[in-house]
Amino acid sequence: MRSSLFIYGACFAAALLSTGAVAQEGQARATFPASFFSDANPQNALDLLERVPGFTLVEGSEVRGFGDAAGNVLVNGVRPPSKDVSLVEYLERIPAASVVRIDLLDGAVVGLDAGGSLLVANIVLAASDSSSGTLRINGEGVGDGRVGGSATATWQGSFRGASLSASVQGGRSGLELLEGQEMLFSGDGSLIEEGPLRDRRAEDTFASSLLASGRILGLDTILSGSIRTYAWGRFSENHLVAGGLLTRPRTDVEAQNYDRRASEVSLQLSKAFDRHEIRFNALRNTSDVSDSSSIEIRRTASDFDSSLFISDSDQTEDILRLSWEFKSNDWSTQFALESVRTSLSAESAFRRTLSSISQPVESEFTQVGEVRGSAAFSATYSGLPAFIIVAGLASERSRISLTSPLNSSNTYQFLKPRLSISWAASSKMTLSLSAERSVGQLDFSDFVGAQQVGDGSSTQTNADLQPPQTDAFRLAVERRWGESGSLGLTLVREQWKNLVDVVPVDLGQGVGNIPEAESYGFDIEVTWPVDFVLPGAELKLAGAWRDTSVRDPFNGRSRPPQMLEHDRTTLSLRHVLSSRLTYGGSYTYTPPRRIFRRDQFIEFLEGESMNVYGELTLREGLKLRAEINNIGGQDLDRSLIRYAGTRELADVSSVEIRERIGRSSLAIQLASTF
């Protein structure tokens, strides 16, 4: 309660003092001209951005609506107009030769387009009518002889006064081979059975996009469209032998397939006059998803058990957004109105065969619809020496309706205040303090019951879900030195309300809310030039740590939230040996992921991974890159503990352990500009 009063009161007071939130000239924390990147022989804007010290690219959030889906990159001061086209894909279209500089801006100064990021990169482009493009051909292979290949082509030019950019990509990638052992133990620790397993994975993609911009009837107009398909598949086979015997009484075969087809069209109109700018966005995207998972336990050709779960869903989203900006010497403001209409139709079916006898098929059809409206205001005052004060307030109202079997509807309404104060202690050091309330969105799939065939558990439908709320407090310090040295440290304190997790539903379990939870920790980002050891080399460290706890709704004990995935910690080295040759490598640690069910506990441990790469410029505009991933293999273990009743209160009935190693893979890329 105190934290809520503090946020509301502070934001209200700051709003009374200010009328404005967009970046002003000269407010960049750091500026990197095109010459800063010349030693890397970059081909596109993404190559440049990866070299910016103290910055990590953050893609937009996969949420409904446009305002909350922003990433941390602007192009000429404006966020890209598409949700479907990723920032990586968007930046790969922009030739490096057209980039004048990259400015790092305080996210608070950027305002509503910052998407909540503390640091935002603004890529400033030079006006040009010339055309250019890139072509990249990729190949990769893993230890079982499988190979994959993909290609990406981008082009940027003009036609009859309009600027055009396009991209097309497709192929097979993401090849993985996991090999190891599976062991099943009884509750008292006795080995029941064990055997080798082999797990293969791959993904197939195709995507194309087109963007056109120009002036129509005095309005700056951007029209974009995209289509894409994505298919991921996994096939695992495990031969189990009874403990102490040489026979093979059983073979387990697991398969998963995920297919997604999506399309999007968007229109952006903007008009700048005096110190004002008005922008209108209209966007529609559709997606069709088919997801299936199966497991077959075969003892003989005619004696087997199997389970198959299939889910097919169609989702459509329509967005209208109107925003206004005002800039002056010391003040700036932003105001935005947004309307979103989303619908999802999902059909699921579960089929089980026990001892070769088919059971009745369980099926369910669910429709979910949402109408969402929001208004957001952000104001910035920069008239005090070395200080920037930002206040914001957003309001949203949504109604989610569900058809059979739930036949219910809920209305949600929230206020989301925000306050941020930044202090430039020197030209190289900035401190900032922020307090913010955010409200998450309910995942439509959480309203659809599901069967996890891999572990035998299920979740029921739940019409009483509430969106999660977070009160976050951040204290950040950024220190830069030399040409490329930087240190960013952010202390984080979060208090959650209605955290979405797995909870008791009726006599089973389903996706629901945990009333309260809390978290604290830090994020760190370091770029450290090590010229004193290797001239032209630098180290980068990016990571996060959190101490998070919730009270388990099944047994009342403290535990982490369900499947909480913190950022990985990565330490990387990059050495520019000459104008033609660059090499480097990285070490990555991935925190464990945990699943908590009523009578089960599952833990995934990915372990550490190491990668190395080398880049050779064959001639101007032509570059060869080779990399080896997962040197020495990467552990990917899973532990599944089943209980005879409520988890940790009842006795353990069995323990299933999978110890797997991901094989190393080799990837080669040939990239050219034209």
Side-chain angles (χ1 to χ4, degrees), residues 35-304:
S35 58
F36 176 82
F37 309 99
S38 59
D39 64 347
N41 294 307
Q43 294 187 322
N44 52 53
L46 181 63
D47 292 342
L48 301 178
L49 201 61
E50 290 176 341
R51 290 286 322 279
V52 173
F55 180 81
T56 298
L57 176 66
V58 177
E59 292 280 6
S61 303
E62 295 184 2
V63 296
R64 298 182 294 279
F66 189 74
D68 293 333
N72 65 344
V73 174
L74 306 178
V75 177
N76 284 340
V78 179
R79 61 176 287 197
S82 172
K83 285 181 60 179
D84 181 66
V85 177
S86 68
L87 283 176
V88 168
E89 184 178 339
Y90 189 81
L91 295 173
E92 285 178 340
R93 294 180 188 167
I94 302 174
S98 65
V99 177
V100 176
R101 69 180 189 272
I102 296 178
D103 295 332
L104 289 186
L105 306 175
D106 190 315
V109 174
V110 175
L112 300 180
D113 284 340
S117 298
L118 296 177
L119 200 62
V120 176
N122 181 34
I123 300 175
V124 181
L125 306 180
S128 175
D129 293 328
S130 61
S131 63
S132 60
T134 64
L135 175 64
R136 293 187 305 279
I137 300 174
N138 302 279
E140 62 180 272
V142 292
D144 59 347
R146 285 184 302 155
V147 296
S150 62
T152 302
T154 69
W155 175 83
Q156 178 173 285
S158 60
F159 179 74
R160 294 186 177 181
S163 297
L164 302 174
S165 66
S167 67
V168 60
Q169 59 181 331
R172 168 159 289 194
S173 60
L175 301 179
E176 292 183 81
L177 172 62
L178 305 177
E179 295 178 304
Q181 194 85 358
E182 178 171 319
M183 296 164 284
L184 179 64
F185 298 90
S186 64
D188 61 7
S190 302
L191 179 64
I192 299 176
E193 55 189 10
E194 63 177 337
L197 64 84
R198 190 178 179 90
D199 191 328
R200 297 182 177 187
R201 307 178 184 190
E203 58 188 47
D204 297 302
T205 59
F206 171 80
S208 63
S209 59
L210 175 66
L211 183 146
S213 62
R215 287 186 72 84
I216 300 178
L217 300 177
L219 299 176
D220 293 324
T221 304
I222 302 177
L223 179 65
S224 68
S226 63
I227 58 173
R228 68 185 62 246
T229 63
Y230 173 81
W232 177 84
R234 167 181 173 262
F235 181 83
S236 174
E237 192 171 32
N238 183 18
H239 301 282
L240 293 169
V241 180
L245 300 179
L246 298 179
T247 58
R248 291 190 171 183
R250 184 175 129 209
T251 299
D252 291 355
V253 177
E254 295 184 31
Q256 288 180 266
N257 291 283
Y258 176 88
D259 297 284
R260 182 176 184 267
R261 298 162 297 282
S263 64
E264 180 190 85
V265 60
S266 68
L267 172 68
Q268 178 175 289
L269 305 173
S270 60
K271 175 70 175 179
F273 52 95
D274 296 330
R275 296 177 178 271
H276 304 266
E277 182 177 3
I278 297 176
R279 191 181 306 149
F280 170 76
N281 292 87
L283 185 149
R284 161 169 268 229
N285 61 56
T286 62
S287 64
D288 302 327
V289 176
S290 178
D291 193 2
S292 67
S293 57
S294 65
I295 183 170
E296 181 178 286
I297 302 174
R298 184 174 295 277
R299 300 173 186 84
T300 64
S302 59
D303 183 11
F304 64 91

Side-chain angles (χ1 to χ4, degrees), residues 482-516:
E483 186 179 40
S484 59
S486 70
L487 166 65
L489 178 65
T490 303
L491 305 180
V492 182
R493 179 75 169 87
E494 294 176 322
Q495 294 177 314
W496 294 325
K497 180 181 178 182
N498 288 329
L499 182 69
V500 175
D501 208 289
V502 173
V503 302
V505 175
D506 297 329
L507 299 178
Q509 61 191 357
V511 179
N513 296 109
I514 294 179
E516 295 180 348

Side-chain angles (χ1 to χ4, degrees), residues 185-188 641-644 650-655:
F185 298 90
S186 64
D188 61 7
I641 302 176
R642 294 185 174 90
Y643 294 84
D651 294 334
V652 173
S653 59
S654 66
V655 178

Side-chain angles (χ1 to χ4, degrees), residues 646-664:
T646 301
R647 173 175 37 82
E648 297 183 10
L649 298 181
D651 294 334
V652 173
S653 59
S654 66
V655 178
E656 182 182 291
I657 296 178
R658 292 181 179 177
E659 295 179 344
R660 299 169 291 185
I661 295 179
R663 295 280 292 272
S664 301

